[in-house]
Amino acid sequence: MLELFVCLAAWIAAAPQPSNVDTARGVVTRSIEALGGEAALKGISTLQIEAIGHEYFVDQSERPEGPFVTRYVQTSEKRDVAGGRSRLQTQERFVLAPDWADAGSATLVDADAAAFQRGERYAPADKAAFDEGRERIDLAPERVLLTALTASDLASAPDVTVHGIRQRVVTFGWRESRARLLIDPGDFVPTALELRSADTFGIWGTVTRTTYYSLWTLLAGGVRYPLQFDREWNGVGSGATTIMKISVNPPFDAAPFTIPGDVKKAFAAAPPSGIPTLKLDPSKAVEVVPGIVQYPGNWNVEFVQQPDGIVIIEAPVGSHYSVQVLDEAARRYPGVKVKAAITTSDAWPHLGGVREYAARGIPVYALDLNRPILERLLQADYRAKPDALATHPRAAKFTWVSGKTTIGTGDTRMELYPVRGENGEWMLMAYFPAHKLLYSSDEIQPLRGGGFFMPELLVELRGAVHREHLDVDRIFGFHASPRPWSDIEAAIAKASAGGGIQP
């Protein structure tokens, strides 16, 4: 009998013991055990993953609350888990790319660079591609718990309830983000990962991106792994991905992961890029008619000179861009006040710079339907990188346009009208009666190869023009230089005669 007790004691001592779940480290360790154990997780040296999913255009769809325009994405990734590298091939299709596009190209990410490859050609990728790749590697299901365990600032946070289930919560810093990992206390499998970081679009301050894990399966080697990933941006669904095939530790050649040295150097030397770095180029300014000047760019801005001040049409990109626009207005019209700004759409590029106008007490005209999204923008969390409104808060001066609204007098007097179309339901147009000139929002978007994006938008715009009995000779817009109205009529006629989808 004594021998039996000795053997039992030895077996108990050798068996894995449940971790102390009263500490953050204990919770993470227990979760590692639930997924198969640290040795099994570290035993994953390579992965081959094929997945399909969808992403939503939450930044510019028919309406800010959805349903959203959808992009479909399929990926094939070779992930060098042990080496911290990834080679991702992506194909996508959506209204602008009705056939699967980008076949044969790949994004390569290693510890300190990212590159695009097509055939034998390599080019440095941007910082966004690098950040996405590092997140895909460091915070993947096979690595996120190990990453958390080694974080010097790993800490517990109050429990939360998700999907009706109380969750244990741990937090840790990762690169320039703060991660919050939610773990089901029933079996200690991770439920979701939240990342709080700077908005890559550049207008929402600090935002929260959440990935929910589901459809768990058992992989070779005894590791449990989720096959479905549902994503949210600030609480709004932004997409989902399902793994269709996954292979553990397939043999990999190192060559496909290698970024050439000159490309790595070019990546390191590249200046910051992306929307938050855009600059206004005053040298491109063109006079539409006397008193109206257009500043072309990724998204156009217009100055309208009236007897009592300047009206600026559109507040795009972000606060930093509005500062440039207002500096240019002061240079071009010394001593003349900016009396108002107009934002014509709910799409983020149109309204990203509204906060700067609010901070300076400049009245803003906007469509009545866009009140909720503009109020959310003003309440965005800018504590990490304060702009003028965050530094000196003040109430915004909005005029909510629900029908014909006149601004100013003289030859540049303008009339604002809601479009009220299906696609343009959240847009405004501005009419200058003295010049028979119309400013559109997103309705006219010339394509490089000729024609216009979504002729349906032109039909809706024409309907609004007829409804308001406007006499239009010329038109310009957020994406369009001045052109005769006859171009719009011709494009509608061509689309109607051609049939089919012509994006």
Side-chain angles (χ1 to χ4, degrees):
M1 181 65 71
L2 179 60
E3 182 178 341
L4 176 61
F5 279 119
V6 170
C7 291
L8 181 61
W11 177 82
I12 293 173
Q17 301 298 306
S19 301
N20 175 11
V21 294
D22 293 331
T23 67
R25 184 175 181 84
V27 170
V28 172
T29 300
R30 180 67 182 85
S31 189
I32 289 173
E33 294 167 358
L35 263 57
E38 185 171 349
L41 287 174
K42 289 184 176 179
I44 298 177
S45 60
T46 59
L47 286 173
Q48 171 75 51
I49 300 172
E50 294 184 20
I52 192 164
H54 63 273
E55 298 174 351
Y56 294 136
F57 289 91
V58 297
D59 56 325
Q60 42 190 330
S61 290
E62 286 190 19
R63 55 192 64 83
E65 305 302 336
F68 300 111
V69 176
T70 305
R71 170 171 48 213
Y72 301 93
V73 181
Q74 60 182 18
T75 61
S76 178
E77 181 185 10
K78 293 180 179 179
R79 189 179 299 164
D80 178 5
V81 179
R85 300 180 297 179
S86 170
R87 176 184 176 84
L88 181 71
Q89 294 178 283
T90 301
Q91 292 188 74
E92 61 180 35
R93 65 191 306 181
F94 63 112
V95 67
L96 286 182
D99 299 312
W100 288 111
D102 295 329
S105 61
T107 301
L108 280 59
V109 177
D110 63 16
D112 49 24
F116 295 127
Q117 179 191 3
R118 178 176 286 277
E120 300 298 319
R121 300 178 60 185
Y122 293 82
D126 56 18
K127 184 178 182 296
F130 176 74
D131 290 343
E132 290 170 5
R134 289 316 318 167
E135 180 179 329
R136 192 169 59 251
I137 297 165
D138 297 343
L139 302 181
E142 73 274 9
R143 297 298 303 177
V144 63
L145 291 165
L146 301 175
T147 299
L149 196 63
T150 58
S152 61
D153 58 351
L154 177 65
S156 297
D159 292 355
V160 298
T161 298
V162 173
H163 306 148
I165 305 297
R166 181 178 63 88
Q167 305 287 329
R168 301 298 301 272
V169 181
V170 298
T171 68
F172 58 96
W174 178 77
R175 302 178 71 83
E176 297 178 2
S177 302
R178 188 69 189 172
R180 197 168 81 134
L181 189 60
L182 281 56
I183 298 174
D184 188 326
D187 61 1
F188 282 87
V189 168
T191 297
L193 175 67
E194 296 179 355
L195 286 177
R196 282 188 59 78
S197 56
D199 167 38
T200 56
F201 202 90
I203 71 171
W204 294 103
T206 299
V207 300
T208 300
R209 293 180 294 113
T210 306
T211 299
Y212 295 96
Y213 307 121
S214 60
L215 201 59
W216 288 80
T217 192
L218 187 62
L219 299 181
V223 170
R224 298 163 74 184
Y225 206 90
L227 298 182
Q228 182 164 322
F229 306 80
D230 290 84
R231 297 178 295 277
E232 288 183 353
W233 178 93
N234 263 10
V236 177
S238 60
T241 299
T242 300
I243 293 176
M244 310 306 291
K245 295 180 181 179
I246 182 168
S247 178
V248 179
N249 294 337
F252 275 178
D253 180 4
F257 294 94
T258 303
I259 300 175
D262 58 334
V263 177
K264 291 175 74 75
K265 289 181 181 179
F267 175 85
S273 61
I275 292 173
T277 67
L278 291 178
K279 303 293 184 183
L280 181 74
D281 187 353
S283 69
K284 294 182 178 179
V286 295
E287 186 178 70
V288 181
V289 295
I292 301 177
V293 178
Q294 183 178 68
Y295 286 80
N298 295 73
W299 296 285
N300 299 338
V301 176
E302 286 71 28
F303 291 170
V304 181
Q305 186 175 17
Q306 296 186 335
D308 57 344
I310 306 301
V311 178
I312 298 177
I313 302 179
E314 304 298 4
V317 183
S319 296
H320 76 286
Y321 200 78
S322 291
V323 170
Q324 298 174 56
V325 170
L326 288 165
D327 286 348
E328 171 62 13
R331 184 201 66 79
R332 190 178 186 103
Y333 309 102
V336 180
K337 73 173 183 178
V338 175
K339 58 179 279 189
I342 301 169
T343 178
T344 68
S345 172
D346 64 299
W348 297 0
H350 286 259
L351 52 80
V354 163
R355 288 175 57 93
E356 184 65 26
Y357 292 93
R360 301 193 188 195
I362 297 172
V364 177
Y365 289 78
L367 185 69
D368 53 357
L369 293 177
N370 291 329
R371 182 169 184 167
I373 190 171
L374 286 166
E375 289 181 342
R376 287 204 305 273
L377 178 65
L378 297 183
Q379 296 164 8
D381 183 357
Y382 268 72
R383 289 173 295 180
K385 296 181 179 180
D387 61 359
L389 188 62
T391 304
H392 301 289
R394 66 189 299 176
K397 300 177 181 178
F398 279 112
T399 295
W400 304 111
V401 178
S402 57
K404 177 181 176 180
T405 301
T406 300
I407 303 176
T409 60
D411 287 347
T412 54
R413 174 176 66 88
M414 74 174 75
E415 300 167 357
L416 302 181
Y417 296 94
V419 174
R420 303 296 197 217
E422 174 59 30
N423 292 286
E425 188 174 20
W426 304 76
M427 301 182 195
L428 285 175
M429 57 184 184
Y431 180 59
F432 299 87
H435 300 285
K436 298 183 179 180
L437 176 68
L438 184 69
Y439 175 87
S440 80
S441 184
D442 271 339
E443 294 96 336
I444 55 168
Q445 300 184 40
L447 300 175
R448 290 182 179 179
F452 294 86
F453 170 68
M454 287 187 66
E456 163 66 19
L457 290 169
L458 307 182
V459 173
E460 293 180 12
L461 180 65
R462 182 178 65 179
V465 167
H466 291 172
R467 182 193 68 221
E468 301 299 340
H469 307 291
L470 307 181
D471 184 8
V472 180
D473 282 346
R474 287 206 301 162
I475 186 168
F476 65 122
F478 195 47
H479 299 285
S481 58
R483 65 198 60 231
W485 176 257
S486 58
D487 284 0
I488 306 304
E489 296 286 1
I492 293 173
K494 182 178 179 179
S496 298
I501 299 176
Q502 301 179 27

